[in-house]
Structure formats: structure tokens, C-alpha cells
Amino acid sequence: MSLRRRERRVIAAAGAAALVAVGLNLAFSAVAAHRRRKRRELPGFTAQVNLSAADIKRLADRVVSKSKETYDAVAAVPLDKVSFSNVIAPLAELDAQQFPLVQACVLPRMVSPSDDVRRASAEAEKRLDSHFQQCRQREDVYRVIKAFTQKGERIGLEATRFVQCMVREFERNGAKLTQSKKTEMEKLKSHIDDLSLKYIQSLNDSTKFLLLNEEDLAGMPLEFLKELENTNGKWKVLLTSYHVTPILEHCKVGSTRKLIAVAYGQKGGKENIAILEKLVQLRHRLARLLGYPNYADYAIEPRMPRTSRKVLEFLEEMSEQLNGLANRELSVLKDLKMKEEGDAQFSVEDLLYYMKRAEELKVDLDIGEIKQFFPVDLVISGILKMFQDLFALRFEEMKDAETWHDTVRLFSVWDASSSDLLGYFFLDIFSREGKYAHTCVVALQNGCLCSNGTRKVPVAVLLSQCPKEFDGNSALLRFPEVVRIFHEFSHVVHHISNRATFSRFSGLQLEGDFAEIPSLLLENWCYENISLKMMSGFHQDITKSITSEACQSLKRRRDIFAGLKLKQEILLCLVDQIIHTGENVNIDDLIKDLHPKCSFFFQVMLGIPLLEGNSPASCFPRIAIGYDAVCYSYIWSEVFAADLFASKFKDDLLNQHAGLRFRNKVLAPGGSKNPLDIISDYLGREPSLQAFIQSRTRNSL
């Protein structure tokens, strides 16, 4: 019997043995029964939508109660009696049954038209987050799971990986710490959260501004100036990205660009530098408390590189490979500045302005005209057709399905060859009051095998804020919005394609680096003629698609000055890694050293001097919160995506054989296998930087 079949048999058998899991199923079924009668039955779909505020509270109560009951039952198993059926299977079944119920509680915060429902959802999310955090710290449950790992029971590869992930998650949350050290850990986390919020609040302060004369803003578009407040004959420029970035891109006056860049760079001031340095110290203390040598190794351990050393090697190689390209690009910018401003030193504040000038000279593209070719309805239908054709899928809209708003659409997803049901997705793409403001994908249900042998299918929700109509017609999308929706729908397909046994290995619960690779790979379709034409059409005559010349210009616009842009990103990533691996690093001194000089055996910013008096460390929000020690991740994912595209798809974008193989080999496993192994097996070798460098070099200038 194969390990995979044995694993499925063990899980099925565990359902009969694990009475807790059975009780859990019955309780959850009772909660949802009255709502199921009101909506069409969807095979494999148990997630609930359109709950009231009272429903959400009751459901959250039951989730907490049944979760505690299951954890208590596992903790009570004698250490000499542990087995897959009484320790691992109940926890796996709990995850499978609870995930869609938890999501039914928390999704309304993002989508419900009702203020009361959104408030109830937000309260439920806080309560559930706190409860699950406590569950992941339970030493009694951790001790039982560890005892099972030492028993040596044969359970199959995916089940083994599931157990390893559980052990790691418990340990990363402090389950093996003494109570006093757990208390210290909680204090550290609380202090870190408070400081991170304080740092971001300082950057979001919209009270800081400069007053500039009209001549100081020469070159700025009239539309931009109209939005500025006029105070005693001067324009009030806020030190926010909404004002600073356009000025750095368009203002012809070098002294104004420098003034703005320095002011923005000092916005957080010495206070934010002190906060960031304190944050780094606290993070190191947290990592060492949990048994890691430094915070970077703690943050990177569950990701693809596994260690900070691997990340530093990657950044070093990337920067070395980019030196030639970035130097050529910088020469172009310096020549432009010489022609426009004379013999003046090229500095950091000049980068965005002269990149924009070069783009205008070298890329023939009218963004306003391009927008005319992307009516939202046509973009969506084109995206759906493209993914169906490429991945051998069939989407069927379910007109009579219950949703949370009348503009939301539900689709079932089928394998085009076997006609097997793969999952469902909701499209909630039109703007409305109270809705989450960004484009993203939320998993409503994970695909997994339940203890009774039935399979829950994946269910995803794509959220966006597209305008619905314009002058009675389908509204038009800016090209970046088209790319964003395409990118996010790739996550939908990744989630729906998942065929893993365990809910834990869903297509949206992967290592952060791996989760973005398929979507970044598929973004390439947004810059190729055949695919762009499938989702475009002139709004007054949809039979007239975007021109091939415009497609080439869009690609060139994406890649122009890729070397310099990546060099700036690498600088940030290096600072992020070094401060989170070293001890008591002076961040300002580190940046001054990395910027113009050779460090780590390679030149980072090609000798461009740092602005005098500037404090970049005071305005690095990603390092302060959200991307601490993992800023490298996006570049890492881009490199893998570029290799996959060049090796498997570039010469035949709609090759269904290649798409189906990608779906089965890369998307279907989810997190059930090591992602490096998944991609290496698919490519037949380890990924390399070459495809990425070549693609950006070819279209850069």
C-alpha cells in the first residue's frame, strides 16, 4: 500500500476513533442547519455567508468552545498511549471543520453592508485571534504531540509534514517555555506592537508640510496643483507619499526636489530612529528567548531560504549581476541631468525625476489612451477565459446563490477533462461604502479530506474596489488595476487547484515566498500581445483591441530602469537583514556605509551620495511592521517566477499542456511538500537568477 493511500486510510479510521471530532461535526452542523435551508446546496461547500451580528457572536462562541474541548481531549491522552488517531487526527479534523466557520465570522468585517455586522465581525476576529494564540501556546498539547513524534508511528509524507509544521508552530509561539519566560515573551510582543504602531503613526502624520511658491513647483501637472491648498499665495505641500512622490517625479526644480526629499527623509526624525533601534533590540531578545541566534533566522525559518545567510548570499549575487545594467542606466540619467541642469552632481532626489523624463522620451505610451481599452466587465471576462484555457478549467456562474450583496457573483470551478468539481469562488469587485478598500483574496474554505472520507473543496473570495459604471457604461480600469486583479485572481486559481489532504496546506497558507511565485509568474501574461488582447477592447467598440505597439510599450515601461530600481530595493533588503542579524547596529551609520561604498564585497548604490542630513531609517515602514527581516521576499519570488516563465511558458503562452502540468505539479500540492523541491522538480533543476536578469536587461533601455 502506498504511503499516500495509507495516510488517507489512517485519517478515515481516525474519524471513527476520534469521538471529539465527531461531536465537533455534529455541533457545527446544528449551528448551520437553519441557514442551509435558505440557500442552494453546494456540494463540498459548508462555509456560511450573509450572517447577522447575532449569528456571528453565537458562531464564534461555539468555535471557541469546541476548540477548547478538542485541545483538552488531546492534552488528556496519556503519553504512553499517543497515536495518530487520538492526537493528530482530532487536531487535523478540528482545523478542517473550523476554518470555514472562523472565516464566516471574520469575512463580514471586510464585505458586509451593515455597520452592526462589521462591528460584530471585528469583535469576533479579535476574540478568535486571542483564543487561537492561547491554543498555540499550550504546553500540555505540545507535550503530547512531541511524544507522538518520538513514538515512530508510520503515517506518510504529508502527515509527517503536517506534524512537523504543528511542532514548529507551537515552539515558535513559546509552548516549550517556562511560564515566567512565556510572560516575558508576551511582554516583549506587546512592547514590539506598541513601538511599531508608534513608528507608523509618526509617518502617517499629515500635519507636517512645506509652503512653496508657484515657481518652486515648475513642471507639476495642473491637476496636482489644483488639489493643493493655497495659503497666503503659497502652495501647501504635505509630507505624505501622495504629494512627495509626484513632486519627485515631475518637478523641474532640482532644489525643490532636494528640499522635499530631505524633509520627507527627516519626517520621522530622531524619535523614529530611536524607535526602530529599540524595536530591533526587542526582536533580538524575543528570538533568543525562543532559541534562535538572531531575529532574522527566527523570521526566515518558516520561509523558503530557511536562514538569513541564504538571503544575504542571494542579495549579494543579485546585486553583482545587476551592476552592469544599473551602471548603464545611471549613465543615461546623468546625461539627461547634464543636458537639463548643467554640470550638477547627480543625487538620490534626482532618480525618480530623470527616470520619468527618460520614460517619456523612450516609451511611446499614453496612459490615458490605454485606459480606454480596459472596461472592467471586459477585463474580468477576459481573465476568466484566459485562466480556463490555460489551466483546463471550466467556470460556471451560479445565478441563484446566496451572497452578501447583489453585486457579488459566485462561480463553481470544474476540471475541463474529468468534470470533477474543484471548488468555488466569489467575485466581489465593485466599490461600495464600508467595504475593504484594497484588492485581495480571502480563503473562505480550504480544500481538505475529512475524517469521514468526504472532501471539502476550496472556496475563495476576490475583493476589489472597481467603479461599476461610467456614463451608463462599464467603468474603465487603469492598467495597474488590471495587473492587480489579474495577480489576485492567480491566487484564486492557486487556492482552487489545491488537492492536499490537510487544510493546513491550502494554496493560500503557504510560505510567504512561495505563495507569491505563481501570481508573479502569471503577471507576465499582462504584458504579452495575445493575452492583453483577450482582456481588452476599446470601450466604444470592444472589437477593437489594444495595439501590439501599446503592448510592447507597457512591457518596456515595466522594465525600464529595472537595474536601478532593484538596487534601491536591495539596499533596503540589506539594511533589513543586517540590523536583524547583528547586535546594536547603528542604522544610520550602516546606511551611510552601504550607500556609496563597497560593502559585502559588492557596490550597492553605485556611488550615488546620500542626502546630507537625511535619516532614511526614520521612514522605513516595511522594516518597522509587516516585513521585518523578510523584505527580501518579493525579489526572491520574482526571480523564481521569471525562471518559470522563461523555461515553461514564454514561447507558448496559452499552451494548455504546460498550464495543466503547472496546475498539477506546482499548484495542486499546496504546502504539502517543500516548495523548493516542488519548483526544482518541475523545472528539472534548481532555479537561477539568469532568466530574471535577462528579462529585465532586454527591455530596460
Side-chain angles (χ1 to χ4, degrees):
M1 184 187 299
S2 70
L3 287 178
R4 179 75 169 181
R5 288 179 59 196
R6 184 184 297 116
E7 184 175 280
R8 290 175 181 269
R9 287 275 300 273
V10 167
I11 292 175
L19 297 179
V20 172
V22 173
L24 184 71
N25 274 324
L26 294 174
F28 286 157
S29 297
V31 174
H34 74 286
R35 300 205 64 84
R36 286 179 180 166
R37 288 195 294 270
K38 296 180 182 179
R39 65 180 173 93
R40 174 181 175 182
E41 291 293 336
L42 302 174
F45 182 5
T46 61
Q48 302 172 68
V49 299
N50 209 19
L51 298 180
S52 68
D55 290 336
I56 290 171
K57 185 180 184 306
R58 283 193 293 269
L59 186 56
D61 288 343
R62 289 184 176 272
V63 166
V64 170
S65 175
K66 288 301 173 183
S67 173
K68 186 176 185 303
E69 181 181 323
T70 304
Y71 273 80
D72 287 346
V74 170
V77 176
L79 298 185
D80 60 343
K81 302 292 185 181
V82 295
S83 67
F84 188 94
S85 62
N86 63 18
V87 175
I88 307 305
L91 295 175
E93 184 72 7
L94 180 72
D95 188 24
Q97 298 298 336
Q98 277 202 329
F99 184 85
L101 301 179
V102 171
Q103 294 304 92
C105 290
V106 303
L107 178 67
R109 176 183 65 82
M110 306 175 75
V111 302
S112 176
S114 165
D115 290 342
D116 289 342
V117 171
R118 291 198 302 272
R119 276 195 297 271
S121 177
E123 290 169 3
E125 183 175 34
K126 288 180 183 177
R127 183 184 174 200
L128 292 169
D129 281 349
S130 175
H131 168 71
F132 290 126
Q133 180 64 30
Q134 292 173 8
C135 288
R136 289 189 290 267
Q137 293 178 344
R138 288 188 56 163
E139 189 273 337
D140 52 353
V141 177
Y142 168 72
R143 184 175 63 248
V144 171
I145 296 172
K146 283 291 287 184
F148 171 77
T149 65
Q150 295 162 3
K151 184 177 180 180
E153 182 177 337
R154 295 189 64 189
I155 56 175
L157 295 178
E158 187 175 340
T160 299
R161 183 169 170 83
F162 176 72
V163 175
Q164 290 170 344
C165 288
M166 274 203 301
V167 169
R168 185 176 68 192
E169 190 170 290
F170 272 96
E171 292 178 350
R172 288 174 63 82
N173 282 279
K176 66 178 181 179
L177 298 180
T178 63
Q179 189 54 51
S180 62
K181 288 188 175 181
K182 283 182 183 177
T183 301
E184 182 184 354
M185 178 187 72
E186 290 306 313
K187 288 181 179 178
L188 283 171
K189 286 184 174 180
S190 179
H191 198 179
I192 287 170
D193 289 343
D194 289 343
L195 287 176
S196 298
L197 180 61
K198 189 175 180 181
Y199 185 102
I200 297 301
Q201 286 174 336
S202 174
L203 286 185
N204 290 340
D205 181 3
S206 60
T207 62
K208 297 179 180 179
F209 62 89
L210 296 175
L211 293 176
L212 300 176
N213 296 318
E214 187 168 346
E215 55 268 25
D216 294 329
L217 293 170
M220 296 306 299
L222 183 60
E223 293 78 9
F224 176 83
L225 295 176
K226 285 180 179 179
E227 294 180 358
L228 299 181
E229 179 183 337
N230 194 295
T231 305
N232 298 323
K234 291 191 175 184
W235 298 109
K236 184 177 180 179
V237 175
L238 302 179
L239 293 180
T240 65
S241 59
Y242 296 106
H243 283 182
V244 170
T245 300
I247 290 175
L248 292 178
E249 286 185 337
H250 295 284
C251 185
K252 294 182 177 180
V253 184
S255 58
T256 300
R257 297 196 302 272
K258 184 172 184 177
L259 179 68
I260 288 288
V262 170
Y264 186 73
Q266 294 176 337
K267 182 178 177 180
K270 293 181 179 179
E271 180 183 2
N272 262 12
I273 297 173
I275 289 174
L276 185 57
E277 291 181 342
K278 182 63 176 177
L279 269 174
V280 171
Q281 292 171 7
L282 293 175
R283 287 168 181 163
H284 280 312
R285 283 177 57 190
L286 174 64
R288 287 193 291 270
L289 187 67
L290 291 168
Y292 296 85
N294 55 64
Y295 184 76
D297 282 330
Y298 164 75
I300 295 168
E301 181 203 32
R303 290 172 170 263
M304 289 178 72
R306 302 300 184 210
T307 67
S308 178
R309 179 179 178 182
K310 182 73 173 177
V311 172
L312 287 169
E313 290 172 353
F314 166 76
L315 294 172
E316 175 183 350
E317 183 181 0
M318 170 71 82
S319 190
E320 287 177 342
Q321 296 269 1
L322 288 169
N323 276 338
L325 173 62
N327 271 308
R328 293 194 299 273
E329 293 170 344
L330 183 58
S331 295
V332 171
L333 298 185
K334 287 180 175 179
D335 289 344
L336 282 176
K337 179 166 184 177
M338 179 71 72
K339 293 175 183 176
E340 189 164 314
E341 298 186 54
D343 191 12
Q345 184 182 41
F346 193 92
S347 193
V348 173
E349 75 273 14
D350 298 320
L351 279 168
L352 288 181
Y353 176 73
Y354 284 104
M355 283 180 184
K356 196 73 175 177
R357 291 284 293 120
E359 181 185 312
E360 291 167 354
L361 293 170
K362 296 176 179 294
V363 180
D364 183 17
L365 187 66
D366 185 329
I367 295 299
E369 181 182 345
I370 290 294
K371 183 178 179 179
Q372 307 297 312
F373 287 89
F374 293 111
V376 60
D377 291 342
L378 190 59
V379 169
I380 296 300
S381 63
I383 289 174
L384 296 183
K385 175 171 174 49
M386 201 177 316
F387 277 88
Q388 288 181 99
D389 292 349
L390 179 61
F391 292 115
L393 300 170
R394 188 175 81 250
F395 303 152
E396 293 183 1
E397 186 166 7
M398 313 191 74
K399 296 286 189 180
D400 58 343
E402 180 187 15
T403 64
W404 50 90
H405 194 269
D406 58 11
T407 61
V408 178
R409 302 165 68 187
L410 173 64
F411 293 81
S412 57
V413 184
W414 307 79
D415 183 280
S417 300
S418 67
S419 294
D420 289 341
L421 175 67
L422 299 180
Y424 303 89
F425 66 87
F426 291 88
L427 291 183
D428 186 357
I429 64 170
F430 295 114
S431 61
R432 60 177 179 271
E433 186 177 355
K435 182 181 169 185
Y436 183 68
H438 303 287
T439 300
C440 69
V441 173
V442 178
L444 191 54
Q445 179 171 288
N446 286 339
C448 58
L449 187 67
C450 298
S451 61
N452 61 6
T454 63
R455 186 170 186 87
K456 287 184 183 294
V457 297
V459 183
V461 181
L462 174 58
L463 301 177
S464 192
Q465 283 280 19
C466 302
K468 185 166 179 56
E469 291 185 342
F470 178 74
D471 289 342
N473 297 311
S474 178
L476 304 177
L477 296 180
R478 295 180 300 109
F479 183 69
E481 294 171 330
V482 174
V483 176
R484 198 172 299 120
I485 292 174
F486 197 100
H487 176 104
E488 294 301 328
F489 192 74
S490 303
H491 287 305
V492 171
V493 172
H494 194 172
H495 185 61
I496 298 296
S497 299
N498 174 55
R499 305 303 293 167
T501 298
F502 293 90
S503 172
R504 170 68 175 76
F505 297 137
S506 153
L508 292 179
Q509 288 189 303
L510 310 174
E511 287 94 336
D513 314 315
F514 186 35
E516 290 300 321
I517 290 172
S519 288
L520 287 170
L521 159 68
L522 288 158
E523 269 190 31
N524 285 283
W525 274 251
C526 294
Y527 298 91
E528 300 292 336
N529 290 0
I530 187 171
S531 42
L532 268 176
K533 290 177 184 293
M534 287 178 66
M535 55 182 175
S536 68
F538 189 59
H539 68 107
Q540 294 177 341
D541 179 7
I542 62 171
T543 64
K544 180 183 176 184
S545 64
I546 192 170
T547 66
S548 299
E549 291 76 19
C551 296
Q552 291 302 311
S553 293
L554 286 169
K555 182 188 290 188
R556 190 177 179 91
R557 185 170 181 261
R558 176 195 68 177
D559 296 337
I560 194 168
F561 296 109
L564 282 173
K565 291 173 184 175
L566 282 164
K567 280 284 192 175
Q568 294 176 85
E569 189 69 19
I570 288 170
L571 174 65
L572 172 63
C573 294
L574 273 175
V575 172
D576 177 45
Q577 283 301 300
I578 294 171
I579 65 176
H580 286 114
T581 54
E583 188 72 36
N584 296 321
V585 176
N586 185 303
I587 300 174
D588 269 349
D589 286 349
L590 171 64
I591 294 171
K592 289 174 184 176
D593 181 60
L594 285 175
H595 214 272
K597 300 178 182 178
C598 287
S599 184
F600 273 73
F601 311 106
F602 61 94
Q603 200 173 43
V604 181
M605 280 305 294
L606 310 171
I608 302 175
L610 192 65
L611 284 170
E612 191 66 34
N614 213 355
S615 302
S618 71
C619 52
F620 275 178
R622 282 188 287 168
I623 294 180
I625 187 168
Y627 289 88
D628 33 295
V630 295
C631 285
Y632 76 89
S633 181
Y634 195 81
I635 301 177
W636 175 280
S637 301
E638 277 194 308
V639 167
F640 278 69
D643 198 349
L644 288 167
F645 180 68
S647 303
K648 302 297 182 180
F649 292 101
K650 185 175 180 296
D651 296 328
D652 191 355
L653 292 173
L654 298 182
N655 184 328
Q656 191 173 95
H657 175 75
L660 186 58
R661 187 168 181 270
F662 184 78
R663 191 184 110 196
N664 292 331
K665 296 291 186 181
V666 179
L667 303 184
S672 63
K673 298 179 181 179
N674 182 305
L676 271 174
D677 291 342
I678 289 175
I679 293 177
S680 296
D681 289 347
Y682 178 70
L683 288 173
R685 56 172 172 76
E686 289 191 3
S688 74
L689 286 172
Q690 297 310 310
F692 178 76
I693 300 296
Q694 289 171 7
S695 67
R696 296 303 186 260
T697 302
R698 183 164 49 247
N699 297 303
S700 179
L701 287 172

